[in-house]
Amino acid sequence: MSHATTGHVGRPSTQTADVLRRTRRRRDPMTDAAPAGRPARISTTLTASIAAAGGSALLALAAHPIAGTAAYAWLITALLAGAAAAPVTIDLRTRKLPNRWVAPIAAGAAVQTIAIAYATADPWRMLWPAIAAAVVFGIYVALGLAGMFGFGDAKFAAAMTIVPAIYAGPLALYVVPIAVLLAGFWRAVLTAAGRGKQPRAHGPAIAIAALVIVVATIVLQQAEGVLQ
């Protein structure tokens, strides 16, 4: 006669509990439900965006007398370059452009379009950035659907287009071809070095393209006397 083995019915072992916890963290393939950590990341993105917009507004208020000048243009260009450094570095390391770094760039730049449009009495300094960012985003989404770039590249490109469009207007759309050409050049260099099949970060090309456009525009407008 066999004896039934006694145990703790209904209490999973430590190993089973660990498996269950890991399973809960995974995204549900049917519902695409976000893992438990996602709300915290969204909160971080929102908080960072609000902080960036607030800081940008304070800067605009404090520097209102010079908001339409070349000095202010160089100031926000320097701030744009500094803000882009973190996502570009992350993209080079991980091939990702996190929202918590990209969204604040867009938020801060959007506030500057309003401030500069008001200071210069030129609504196009607010309208062109919105139009250019939307068009650039759409182009990158289309290229992404073709398998060329990721959705993070589309968001980063749109955010980086806002400040150039304040000064360059529709010419800010050249962010796309310049970034693509830079990416193609870098791919050719890697191919020549025998590393052409390695995944490449596109964020640096986008940042360089945006900064080239805004710097060239400010220089030309200073030479023409448009910016003093």
Side-chain angles (χ1 to χ4, degrees), residues 154-214:
K155 291 181 287 186
F156 186 56
M160 290 296 295
T161 299
I162 296 174
V163 169
I166 294 175
Y167 299 101
L171 295 179
L173 295 174
Y174 278 97
V175 164
V176 178
I178 293 174
V180 171
L181 286 173
L182 288 172
F185 172 76
W186 183 238
R187 181 175 183 176
V189 170
L190 290 178
T191 300
R195 298 187 296 169
K197 293 184 178 181
Q198 290 185 352
R200 295 168 300 278
H202 188 58
I206 293 171
I208 292 171
L211 292 171
V212 164
I213 290 173
V214 70

Side-chain angles (χ1 to χ4, degrees), residues 40-127:
R41 287 198 292 271
I42 292 175
S43 177
T44 301
T45 300
L46 180 60
T47 301
S49 298
I50 293 172
S56 185
L58 289 174
L59 173 65
L61 289 171
H64 175 71
I66 64 167
T69 66
Y72 193 76
W74 286 117
L75 174 60
I76 64 171
T77 299
L79 292 174
L80 178 66
V88 164
T89 301
I90 294 170
D91 195 24
L92 286 169
R93 292 177 179 176
T94 67
R95 308 299 183 267
K96 294 180 180 179
L97 289 161
N99 288 338
R100 63 182 178 273
W101 291 104
V102 174
I105 295 175
V111 171
Q112 288 301 320
T113 68
I114 299 170
I116 295 172
Y118 178 78
T120 59
D122 183 0
W124 285 106
R125 292 186 184 270
M126 179 175 60
L127 296 176

